[in-house]
């Protein structure tokens, strides 16, 4: 086998004629890929192309393939130069490149009513999800009745495990966020109340805002992002690994063994997390009030029961239970709808978290409207 000669390109400027470009050596892929040859040749080809009407002489080339011909074709701007000398056998390469031409994609026709189609598809997609969610609620209701009729055969281990994962393991993050929110809210409120001489009303402000609104909402958002995504991912992986299909073959109900324990566990865990978050947020508020307004912790604790009626505390606990069940239902809904592929798993988990947080905020707005005259 003959040894491949390194491809080279020589450019001799010729004034008004544009000059002469002479190529020799082996213009094949195994020679062009050696020691960054393509980079050097591309620079010389660009320099020769900028010279204008140059005369190209390729007769000295030993051998050429489509890769070498493509380099010349790109340097010529996808058309033959005015003056070109070729060796026998090279004409075939350039004829094929000429016949190929430039790739032209068909123009996409835009219609003025495309937004109607998009809107209709979105509404149908939303209706499909709403129908599936209502069916899931009905299934959970039936499973709850079955559980109440025979509690001994209920999924107690699954409920206990979900309480541990969704409740106990979330104590750290909820405590940290609650404490920091209490510090921030107390610090900002103290600055404004000091201007009006209302320092003593800081307890009322913190108590009402944290116990009635911020505590349940913060706990729900954190649980939706932490436990909600975990529930969706768990069910999605079970779909990918065909565990859900295996459960159906064995006659095990998805709702009774997977969905119901998570709904019950979050309904139990969320009110407890709300209490925990309220306590940590109030402790953060007390620390900030002591530093900013010199309000003692003893005064804060004595004033809090009078500042916050019991109804607000019960509303907060009720919100926690409702938020927990909504998070579990939304997470299970999207988890059971995941297709057996990794792309659907990632998209479904993201959609589940966003939808759960949105549903929680909507439910909080409903609570604010329904109980607007309670607890004041």
């Amino acid at each position: 086998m003959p040894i491949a000669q390194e491809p080279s390109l020589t450019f001799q400027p010729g004034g008004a004629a544009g000059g002469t470009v002479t190529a020799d050596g082996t213009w094949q892929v195994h020679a062009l890929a050696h020691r960054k040859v393509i980079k050097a040749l591309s620079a010389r080809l660009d320099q020769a192309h900028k010279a204008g009407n140059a005369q190209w002489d390729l007769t000295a080339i030993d051998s050429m393939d489509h890769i070498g011909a493509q380099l010349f074709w790109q340097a010529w701007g996808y058309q033959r130069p005015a003056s070109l000398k070729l060796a026998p056998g090279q004409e075939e390469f350039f004829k094929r490149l000429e016949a190929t031409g430039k790739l032209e994609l068909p123009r996409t026709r835009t219609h003025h009513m495309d937004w109607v189609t998009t809107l209709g598809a979105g509404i149908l997609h939303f209706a499909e999800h709403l129908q599936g969610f209502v069916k899931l609620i009905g299934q959970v209701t039936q499973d709850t009745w079955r559980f109440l009729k025979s509690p001994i055969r209920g999924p107690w281990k699954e409920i206990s495990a979900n309480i541990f994962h969704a409740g106990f393991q979330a104590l750290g993050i909820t405590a940290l966020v609650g404490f920091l929110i209490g510090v921030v809210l107390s610090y900002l409120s103290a600055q404004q109340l000091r201007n009006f001489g209302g320092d003593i009303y800081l307890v009322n402000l913190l108590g009402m805002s944290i116990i009635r609104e911020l505590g349940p909402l913060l706990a729900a958002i954190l649980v939706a992002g932490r436990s909600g995504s975990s529930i969706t991912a768990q069910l999605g992986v079970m779909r990918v690994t065909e565990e859900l299909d295996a459960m159906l073959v064995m006659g095990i109900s998805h709702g009774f063994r997977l969905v119901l324990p998570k709904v019950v566990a979050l309904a139990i865990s969320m009110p407890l997390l709300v209490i925990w978050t309220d306590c940590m947020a109030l402790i953060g508020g007390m620390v900030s009030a002591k530093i900013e307004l010199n309000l003692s912790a003893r005064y804060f604790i004595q004033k809090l029961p009078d500042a916050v009626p019991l109804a607000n505390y019960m509303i907060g606990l009720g919100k926690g239970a409702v938020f927990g069940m909504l998070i579990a239902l939304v997470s299970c809904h999207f988890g059971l709808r995941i297709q057996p592929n990794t792309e659907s798993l990632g998209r479904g988990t993201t959609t589940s978290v966003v939808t759960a947080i949105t549903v929680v905020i909507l439910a909080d707005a409903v609570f604010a409207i329904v109980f607007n005259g309670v607890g004041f």
Side-chain angles (χ1 to χ4, degrees):
M1 181 177 179
I3 300 175
Q5 298 181 3
E6 182 176 347
S8 63
L9 192 71
T10 304
F11 174 63
Q12 296 178 354
T20 303
V21 182
T22 305
D24 58 3
T26 302
W27 287 70
Q28 292 183 340
V29 61
H30 61 276
L32 294 170
H34 184 61
R35 296 181 180 179
K36 301 181 180 179
V37 175
I38 290 183
K39 184 176 180 180
L41 291 177
S42 299
R44 294 179 184 177
L45 287 170
D46 292 340
Q47 180 184 4
H49 179 67
K50 293 177 181 178
N53 298 325
Q55 298 179 0
W56 293 79
D57 186 2
L58 309 185
T59 57
I61 294 178
D62 298 335
S63 59
M64 179 189 293
D65 60 6
H66 285 89
I67 302 299
Q70 184 68 34
L71 284 177
F72 286 110
W73 192 250
Q74 291 177 352
W76 297 339
Y78 302 98
Q79 61 182 358
R80 287 179 181 246
S83 179
L84 176 62
K85 295 181 181 181
L86 298 176
Q90 296 177 355
E91 180 69 24
E92 181 183 357
F93 295 118
F94 296 106
K95 281 185 177 181
R96 291 183 179 180
L97 291 172
E98 285 178 332
T100 302
K102 293 184 178 180
L103 180 61
E104 294 183 0
L105 298 176
R107 295 182 179 180
T108 57
R109 297 181 61 183
T110 58
H111 300 278
H112 297 290
M113 301 300 290
D114 283 346
W115 65 273
V116 178
T117 305
T118 305
L119 179 61
I123 293 175
L124 291 177
H125 187 64
F126 175 77
E128 180 186 0
H129 276 284
L130 185 61
Q131 182 184 10
F133 189 72
V134 172
K135 287 183 178 179
L136 182 63
I137 294 176
Q139 182 64 44
V140 170
T141 304
Q142 293 179 349
D143 292 333
T144 303
W145 178 245
R146 173 186 170 186
F147 177 50
L148 293 177
K149 288 195 302 182
S150 181
I152 297 179
R153 302 180 62 183
W156 292 105
K157 290 184 179 179
E158 290 86 347
I159 294 175
S160 176
N162 281 281
I163 290 176
F164 174 76
H165 292 299
F168 178 77
Q169 291 186 341
L171 291 177
I173 185 64
T174 52
L176 177 62
V177 174
F179 181 84
L180 295 178
I181 289 295
V183 170
V184 172
L185 186 62
S186 176
Y187 179 77
L188 296 178
S189 301
Q191 288 183 328
Q192 298 300 319
L193 292 175
R194 182 189 298 152
N195 296 331
F196 301 98
D199 298 356
I200 60 174
Y201 296 106
L202 179 63
V203 181
N204 303 63
L205 182 60
L206 288 179
M208 288 293 293
S209 59
I210 290 175
I211 293 176
R212 183 170 176 132
E213 290 294 334
L214 287 181
L217 196 59
L218 281 175
I221 291 175
L222 291 174
V223 169
R226 181 186 177 278
S227 302
S229 60
S230 175
I231 291 172
T232 305
Q234 177 189 5
L235 296 178
V237 171
M238 294 179 70
R239 174 72 70 188
V240 173
T241 57
E242 299 182 351
E243 292 181 58
L244 295 179
D245 298 333
M247 291 179 64
L248 290 179
V249 172
M250 292 186 293
I252 301 176
S253 171
H254 293 166
F256 191 72
R257 287 293 171 183
L258 296 177
V259 180
L260 180 64
K262 293 174 174 53
V263 174
V264 174
L266 282 177
I268 296 174
S269 302
M270 275 299 298
L272 300 178
L273 283 176
V274 168
I275 297 174
W276 173 254
T277 307
D278 290 345
C279 292
M280 297 307 299
L282 290 174
I283 291 174
M286 282 191 293
V287 172
S288 181
K290 177 63 177 178
I291 297 173
E292 188 70 15
L293 299 178
N294 199 25
L295 293 178
S296 64
R298 181 177 181 180
Y299 171 81
F300 202 99
I301 296 174
Q302 289 178 347
K303 187 68 176 178
L304 188 61
D306 298 331
V308 183
L310 182 62
N312 295 281
Y313 186 72
M314 302 307 298
I315 290 174
L317 296 182
K319 282 184 178 181
V322 173
F323 291 168
M325 290 188 288
L326 288 175
I327 292 170
L329 288 171
V330 170
S331 302
C332 291
H333 168 75
F334 283 98
L336 294 174
R337 294 173 67 90
I338 288 178
Q339 301 299 319
N341 58 77
T342 54
E343 181 182 358
S344 177
L345 177 61
R347 184 173 60 251
T349 304
T350 303
T351 308
S352 170
V353 173
V354 174
T355 306
I357 294 175
T358 304
V359 169
V360 164
I361 294 175
L362 289 175
D364 186 64
V366 172
F367 267 97
I369 295 172
V370 173
F371 297 99
N372 63 341
V374 181
F376 298 99

